[in-house]
Amino acid sequence: FILLEILVKMANIDEDFYSRQLYVLGHEAMHRMGTANVLIAGIRGLGVEIAKNVILSGVKSVTVQDEGVTLWTDLSSQFFLNESSIGQNRAQASLRHLSALNPHVQLSSHTGPLDQDLLMQFQVVVLTDSSLDDQKRFGDFCHSKGIKFIVADTKGLCGQLFCDFGEAFEVLDQDGEAPESALIQKISQGNPGVVVCSDDQRHGFQDGSRVIFSEVQGMTELNSLGPVEIKERGSYSFSIGDTSTFSKYERGGIVTEVKQPDKHNKLLSFQKALSETLTLDPELLITNDFGKIDRHKTLHLAFQALHEFVKNQQRLPRPHSQVNIILDTVKELNKEVKLERLDEAAVKQFSFTAQGELAPVNAFIGGLAAQEVIKACSRKFTPLKQWFYFDSLECLPEEDIHVEDGLFNGTRYDGQIAVFGSKFQEKLGRQKYFLVGAGAIGCELLKNFALIGLGAGEEGHVTVTDMDYIERSNLNRQFLFRSHDIGKPKSEVAARAVKAMNPEMNITAHQNRLASESEQVYDYHFFSGLDGAAAALDNVEARAYLDSRCVEHKKPMLEGGTLGSKGHTLVVVPHLTESYGPAKSSSKKEIPLCTLKNFPHRIEHTLQWARDQFEGLYKHTPENVMMYLRDNNFMSRTLGRGDVEALQIFSEVWGSLVDLSSGGSRPRNWEDCVHWARLKWETLFNNDIRQLLYCFPPMSHGLPFWSGTKRCPHPLTFNPGNVTHMDYIVAAANLYGQTYGISGSTDRAMIRGLLDRVPVPQFTPQSLTIPVTDEEMEESESDEADKEKLEELTQQLSSPSLKASIMEMLPVDFEKDNDSNFHMDYITAASNLRAENYDIPAVDRHESKRIAGRIIPAIATTTAAVSGLMCLELYKLLQGHQSITSYRTAFVNLAVMYFVMSLPSRAKPFTVSCICTMVYLRYTRVESLDAVYPSCEAVEH
């Protein structure tokens, strides 16, 4: 009963809304999140960032608590407050906007103080903008009651994060990665036994991984063993212990990783309450920036010293002053912990910018904090261990600046002016930037641009372009969009939303694809007028193209991307750092054609095969028919592609034009569509397999042909009582009807009745030569076609009467996110039937959509964090930093709290041995060329 209840609740997950996030978290984790109540205390810039991400993630309820009223400094980073909110309670003023983010999450506000009775109502409590005394008091209480407790704080260019999930917290999946699996090539009898995997793909296992075996022939003892711990021996082999007494291995087998839950009560670092972790324990502090190895230890003391200052003075330090008090406190704290390298300069910078409120820092820390909330609610991914510190003090100018209290004139940028001064703010307003992409990262960047005032001055401007339109699946992470925006251009809606956040924003929205065909719009004059560009794109080719245009015009570029919980950022600085570079070939290995056609051994192979079937039957063939009917040169052009290809295309076109009753496949009505689908099922899942086994029997010349990656298939027998069999018929028949303008049906009882009347011809295998490798396949394509058949088809298709009697066909363009169009129904059913042919484990519709639709998993937390890091690099560009040590490239994995922030690669100079009349220059080369040949005129295109 309990399992049934869980399955019912999981079935109620809104897969359209949570589509991309489900590929990060999975249904079970999402179900656990749907039972969690979360309290977020403090709803200034950091608090609202955390709340936004948590609400989008899909917990049961979120309560936002804040006793304070809106101040001008809040507008620097609190994107759901505006000038009319000044003087209003922050939680209440933000509630309407937060509620609109996700209709599945209950929202409420609390304007009173925190107390223990309130905290007892929640499974997760997040404190922001809180005192150290409150952190210790409520932290101890939550620890004693098993409430997951998180503290997040930002001060200027610095931030901190703390997590305590209690003594009995269990992680069900430490990294969220899919379990690895591999095909077995051989297994030795010995101690230890060595397993060698097929060489088509690295096995992906690590020392200590636990695996199970299946389908092993000969050494069948392995199939009944529980999870076995392995020791890696290389990319294609590992050992498993004593197999010397097992039967001799013969062939076959699959080895699959088994993920083990991890109880963190075995690890001391996850047991401590906040009050127990204030003394410096290196085991509880994460190093994240290899340019400042020990900075986090200094910041651990600096935040405590700042709390002491605020407690005594009842205020934060004034901008760019009063640093000695905090530095003295840090030194006093260090007498106890004895840091070898106390970064006094960092303490001073931290102190005199502590009054600042910066949207990029809040975006980054807010993304991380929200991810920890998700871990606490879902028990998926590895929690923070236990303190995290971050700073981007290199954003400050190289020379000292002086900020007076009098400069706070009640503007929305006061929180930013407290860090950088008013002149820097004016420079931000004058910037002209080009943002390419208004999707997930694009929305977050535009939000940050509006908050920091980029292009919001009289001379400034932001241009954003995106050719896509809003879909429901976008709403879960592209937070500027609402359900009433579905179907509208992303760029226009996003521009309008950030204009509402900051009315001073100067922004223009385009719907152009950035490519060679749009160079008349984004020409020399357009790029020459820019101060920089930002790439918020989802493919390498588009990033590389924007990079090439920026290189051509010597403009800096910000670039970032995400893949589930992983993210990266890159800043390109003219003449200083390497550019993004030309698009590189995909590192993902292409599936060999012979594997797809005859020898699949992974579900990815059957899904690609099903996608190819879809494209061929419902798109390419109808397109060829349309060209035949409309283009007088179609016949001659097709014949020019070679006899083999021409014969295939002409056969498909002729079959599509001639009625079923005359030997073709053109339907006259819905019954003919069902007839066609039934015969297609028989061909694909029975006859083709029987033909393959006829050509390649299980044993050939005394040796097994079907071994290693060649899985021996078996034909299927059609059964109208089998759900998957009928899924294929319903989807195939309806799609076929769509191409001919024939209305279909999903009435399975009626369809079964039509199937009873379909005569299925007997199949007789033929003596054929089937290619085993791609090379053999290429050679077979050069074989001579049946010229007599080709001439017959050419003559038939040249008949004017045939053209005149035919109505047009309607090609079908694949659309994965429409659950009513039969596209994913067809691909899921076709793939799983072929998987059954080859004894490959099937996958459900959701996973089929991810693989066949090439969906990139995405979650709002990573997107927010990446956009924050990108905008911190923007600060540095505007400061004009020319030292490469000021800049950072970043790779993060929020699932395991893994961070690598390092210096970008330096531009590599080169020399030339002769003067060239035309040279294509990249940032990495301009200075050196000028140095060698100062009189050389270089043409940059």
Side-chain angles (χ1 to χ4, degrees), residues 55-87:
I55 292 166
L56 289 173
S57 73
V59 296
K60 179 180 180 180
S61 75
V62 171
T63 298
V64 291
Q65 181 273 343
D66 201 313
E67 298 178 73
V69 298
T70 305
L71 306 174
W72 279 106
T73 51
D74 293 325
L75 304 191
S76 295
S77 62
Q78 221 285 22
F79 43 86
F80 284 152
L81 298 176
N82 53 42
E83 294 182 14
S84 65
S85 307
I86 301 295

Side-chain angles (χ1 to χ4, degrees), residues 18-57:
Y18 294 115
S19 169
R20 305 309 186 257
Q21 180 179 288
L22 275 167
Y23 294 118
V24 182
L25 298 176
H27 284 79
E28 293 182 11
M30 285 289 297
H31 163 67
R32 289 189 289 271
M33 287 173 56
T35 65
N37 302 304
V38 179
L39 172 66
I40 300 173
I43 203 69
R44 301 183 71 187
L46 177 59
V48 77
E49 186 70 50
I50 298 171
K52 178 254 294 180
N53 296 328
V54 171
I55 292 166
L56 289 173
S57 73

Side-chain angles (χ1 to χ4, degrees), residues 503-517:
E504 298 173 4
M505 193 75 172
N506 301 312
I507 185 167
T508 300
H510 295 171
Q511 287 82 54
N512 301 318
R513 178 173 178 264
L514 185 69
S516 56
E517 57 263 30

Side-chain angles (χ1 to χ4, degrees), residues 5-24:
E5 183 181 17
I6 291 174
L7 291 173
V8 169
K9 289 182 178 179
M10 286 169 60
N12 291 332
I13 292 174
D14 188 339
E15 290 193 356
D16 285 344
F17 185 83
Y18 294 115
S19 169
R20 305 309 186 257
Q21 180 179 288
L22 275 167
Y23 294 118
V24 182

Side-chain angles (χ1 to χ4, degrees), residues 393-649:
L393 293 171
E394 60 273 10
C395 291
L396 292 170
E398 294 172 353
E399 72 282 357
D400 291 335
I401 61 172
H402 189 62
V403 179
E404 298 289 351
D405 282 345
L407 291 179
F408 298 121
N409 296 322
T411 75
R412 63 181 307 114
Y413 309 116
D414 279 355
Q416 189 165 250
I417 291 172
V419 177
F420 297 115
S422 57
K423 289 184 178 178
F424 182 81
Q425 189 61 53
E426 292 169 3
K427 187 174 183 180
L428 269 168
R430 293 193 299 268
Q431 295 298 296
K432 296 180 177 65
Y433 254 74
F434 184 30
L435 173 62
V436 186
I441 293 179
C443 283
E444 292 287 343
L445 285 175
L446 283 173
K447 175 256 292 181
N448 291 340
F449 289 174
L451 293 172
I452 68 177
L454 185 75
E458 291 184 5
E459 302 173 23
H461 196 272
V462 172
T463 302
V464 57
T465 187
D466 195 308
M467 62 185 292
D468 287 342
Y469 292 82
I470 298 168
E471 301 174 355
R472 192 159 187 270
S473 62
N474 301 144
L475 305 183
N476 172 243
R477 65 202 184 282
Q478 300 174 21
F479 86 106
L480 297 180
F481 307 145
R482 302 291 179 265
S483 56
H484 59 263
D485 295 321
I486 293 173
K488 298 176 183 177
K490 286 185 177 181
S491 58
E492 288 186 1
V493 175
R496 190 162 57 247
V498 296
K499 182 77 173 176
M501 284 182 187
N502 183 356
E504 298 173 4
M505 193 75 172
N506 301 312
I507 185 167
T508 300
H510 295 171
Q511 287 82 54
N512 301 318
R513 178 173 178 264
L514 185 69
S516 56
E517 57 263 30
S518 62
E519 288 187 5
Q520 289 183 338
V521 179
Y522 309 117
D523 56 10
Y524 170 82
H525 296 288
F526 176 82
F527 272 92
S528 296
L530 294 176
D531 292 293
L537 295 156
D538 60 1
N539 66 87
V540 172
E541 292 75 16
R543 291 182 180 119
Y545 179 79
L546 177 60
D547 173 70
S548 69
R549 300 302 305 280
C550 290
V551 167
E552 180 182 350
H553 297 281
K554 299 188 184 73
K555 302 298 179 183
M557 185 184 81
L558 301 164
E559 190 272 327
T562 68
L563 178 64
S565 62
K566 304 181 185 72
H568 78 271
T569 64
L570 173 72
V571 58
V572 179
V573 188
H575 312 307
L576 184 65
T577 71
E578 279 191 335
S579 63
Y580 185 85
K584 302 174 181 64
S585 59
S586 174
S587 60
K588 197 166 185 179
K589 197 174 180 181
E590 293 292 327
I591 304 172
L593 292 177
C594 63
T595 299
L596 287 177
K597 190 171 179 63
N598 297 314
F599 309 118
H601 54 270
R602 295 180 180 274
I603 197 65
E604 291 84 356
H605 302 160
T606 66
L607 280 163
Q608 183 60 55
W609 174 88
R611 176 74 185 269
D612 292 345
Q613 288 289 319
F614 178 96
E615 298 288 340
L617 294 171
Y618 306 118
K619 180 176 172 60
H620 298 323
T621 296
E623 284 177 341
N624 286 330
V625 171
M626 294 297 294
M627 286 190 286
Y628 163 74
L629 294 174
R630 295 178 177 181
D631 185 355
N632 292 330
N633 296 321
F634 171 77
M635 299 286 292
S636 59
R637 190 171 61 250
T638 303
L639 288 168
R641 295 163 68 172
D643 289 353
V644 173
E645 189 171 354
L647 178 60
Q648 178 184 347
I649 293 173

